[in-house]
Amino acid sequence: MRLRVEFTTEPFDLDEAPEHALVAREVVEAAELDAVDVGPFGNTAEGGADAVLTAVDTLLRRTLESGATRISLQINVIGEGGA
């Protein structure tokens, strides 16, 4: 099964990326995902279910530890195939 995760971390800071946002970028870029798009107001990543779910677990833990006070995410099934 293939999944797409869309997420944001808060609080926002338009002048400088907060530590939790930098950590989120680091997590998804280091994960074994097929596609990653990181932007100032939202982020998406795609891959096999195991890779996405592992990345989400790490993302939640590390961004909360880095000062995130809210994390919004949505996961969609986008296809079959892949682990």
Side-chain angles (χ1 to χ4, degrees):
M1 174 184 328
R2 290 187 47 76
L3 301 175
R4 175 184 299 126
V5 60
E6 300 174 46
F7 66 92
T8 58
T9 61
E10 296 178 38
F12 294 116
D13 183 341
L14 296 178
D15 294 326
E16 185 176 335
E19 180 65 22
H20 59 82
L22 298 175
V23 167
R25 174 180 287 186
E26 177 185 305
V27 168
V28 295
E29 288 180 346
E32 295 181 20
L33 302 170
D34 301 331
V36 174
D37 183 22
V38 177
F41 300 108
N43 310 284
T44 61
E46 297 179 9
D50 288 342
V52 170
L53 296 173
T54 297
V56 166
D57 177 61
T58 303
L59 175 86
L60 293 172
R61 293 173 190 278
R62 293 204 42 219
T63 56
L64 289 169
E65 291 169 356
S66 298
T69 58
R70 177 180 176 147
I71 303 164
S72 302
L73 66 91
Q74 177 174 308
I75 298 176
N76 293 298
V77 176
I78 57 171
E80 295 301 318

